[in-house]
Amino acid sequence: MLGGQASGAATALRLVLGRRLQDLREAAGLSFEEAARALDVTHATIRRMEKAQVGLKVPYVEKLLRIYGLTEQDEIEHFLALVREANQPGWWHRYRDVLPDWFSAFVSLESEADQIRAYEPHYVPGLLQTEAYATAVLRAGMPHAPDPEIERLVALRLTRQELLTRDRPPLLWIVVDETVLRRPIGPPTVLRGQIDRLIEATGLPRVRLQVMPFSAGLHPAMYGPFHLFRFPLPELPDVACAESLVGAHYFDQRDDVSAFREALDRMCAQAAPVHRTEAILSEIRKEI
């Protein structure tokens, strides 16, 4: 599991560097305990560094690189430059007043992925929500939050959507349950506007949207929503994220991720094909 329930502000680059430190340590034949003694820290600290659960301190990393056998100064300096880059706060840092650690990790992975796949049985995914729909969803999920906090979270959600129109956007491939498109969200104008937004999104070259109809019956992902992230960095494994009421769990072990991927592949085969999505959305909109 990647970072347990809350992976802090882990970024894709920091995950790569942590994995590289692990590879170097293992190649040097050193245990967690031996590496920890060299830094005068606990072995848990080394584990957390390799799993990107803590920030990478430049002096610690430099000492570890030398202990692990790196001797070329240019190679060490390049690694340390990447550490400094990985420690820079992302754009979402300005929303830290309303952003929990577990979701900071999610936004980071989302921002750095080149492929995002997901199943959503409850509501339209945040990257495709309208402002009115996002406000209604957040208000329902956080009934005691003050209006300014909701407004900040809506602003964050809308800012996240900019990745869909940036140069070289990620592939966004979403399967939504038909329930999502029929559940009342505020006045009918909110849901109609949201479906209009989905129809518009189906025209984007890097967005694939499929609807899992009621008629499909049971499917492999009845347990709840999840996301799969794939990255352009070959050193970084795919990451799966399964959300819960109070946080999320992140997985990067191959067997775990494969289970999520297989479930999603089966669902994509069961769901209505991509070319039918616009027609399905238009028919549902007429009924609202």
Side-chain angles (χ1 to χ4, degrees):
M1 183 181 295
L2 174 66
Q5 182 178 5
S7 185
T11 64
L13 179 56
R14 205 168 87 195
L15 290 166
V16 169
L17 295 175
R19 184 167 290 259
R20 178 63 176 148
L21 285 173
Q22 178 183 347
D23 291 342
L24 290 170
R25 177 181 57 77
E26 292 175 348
L30 297 177
S31 66
F32 288 114
E33 291 76 10
E34 290 168 327
R37 281 197 296 271
L39 295 183
D40 194 24
V41 297
T42 67
H43 65 86
T45 297
I46 302 298
R47 291 177 183 271
R48 287 195 291 266
M49 290 173 65
E50 293 181 359
K51 287 295 185 181
Q53 294 171 349
V54 295
L56 297 174
K57 296 181 180 180
V58 172
Y60 280 9
V61 173
E62 182 174 8
K63 191 168 184 179
L64 286 177
L65 292 177
R66 297 188 188 281
I67 292 167
Y68 295 161
L70 267 65
T71 57
E72 294 291 334
Q73 189 61 33
D74 287 348
E75 187 176 2
I76 292 174
E77 287 300 327
H78 176 68
F79 198 107
L80 296 179
L82 292 176
V83 169
R84 295 185 183 95
E85 180 182 343
N87 286 336
Q88 292 298 311
W91 63 263
W92 54 91
H93 186 68
R94 65 180 183 267
Y95 293 98
R96 62 189 181 278
D97 56 317
V98 294
L99 192 61
D101 278 349
W102 73 267
F103 197 63
S104 178
F106 183 96
V107 176
S108 172
L109 297 174
E110 179 182 78
S111 297
E112 298 180 66
D114 66 355
Q115 183 183 111
I116 303 168
R117 298 180 65 189
Y119 167 62
E120 181 50 68
H122 302 309
Y123 51 79
V124 172
L127 289 177
L128 298 176
Q129 291 179 6
T130 65
E131 182 174 356
Y133 187 97
T135 301
V137 168
L138 287 165
R139 174 54 67 197
M142 305 173 64
H144 304 298
D147 288 343
E149 182 176 354
I150 297 296
E151 291 166 4
R152 291 278 288 159
L153 288 167
V154 170
L156 168 62
R157 190 158 296 187
L158 297 179
T159 303
R160 286 169 51 207
Q161 296 176 6
E162 294 176 5
L163 69 83
L164 297 180
T165 54
R166 72 187 184 191
D167 292 337
R168 301 180 66 181
L171 171 65
L172 180 67
W173 190 348
I174 306 291
V175 177
V176 297
D177 196 278
E178 185 177 346
T179 307
V180 170
L181 306 173
R182 297 187 179 279
R183 177 175 288 114
I185 303 288
T189 54
V190 173
L191 189 53
R192 281 199 293 265
Q194 180 58 69
I195 291 179
D196 287 342
R197 167 65 179 135
L198 293 178
I199 292 173
E200 176 186 327
T202 61
L204 295 174
R206 297 284 287 172
V207 173
R208 298 178 186 174
L209 181 64
Q210 291 182 263
V211 178
M212 179 64 74
F214 294 140
S215 59
L218 299 178
H219 57 75
M222 300 295 291
Y223 300 99
F226 63 89
H227 282 70
L228 283 174
F229 301 100
R230 177 164 289 179
F231 305 91
L233 299 168
E235 302 92 337
L236 188 62
D238 292 357
V239 175
C241 172
E243 297 182 45
S244 70
L245 185 63
V246 294
H249 291 272
Y250 297 87
F251 305 85
D252 70 340
Q253 296 302 308
R254 180 174 298 177
D255 289 347
D256 293 333
V257 175
S258 293
F260 285 101
R261 185 185 299 111
E262 181 180 353
L264 197 47
D265 287 344
R266 290 179 178 274
M267 291 178 62
C268 288
Q270 284 183 254
V274 173
H275 72 267
R276 286 276 301 134
T277 300
E278 184 176 352
I280 293 171
L281 293 172
S282 296
E283 284 301 314
I284 293 175
R285 191 189 188 287
K286 292 176 183 177
E287 299 172 16
I288 299 173

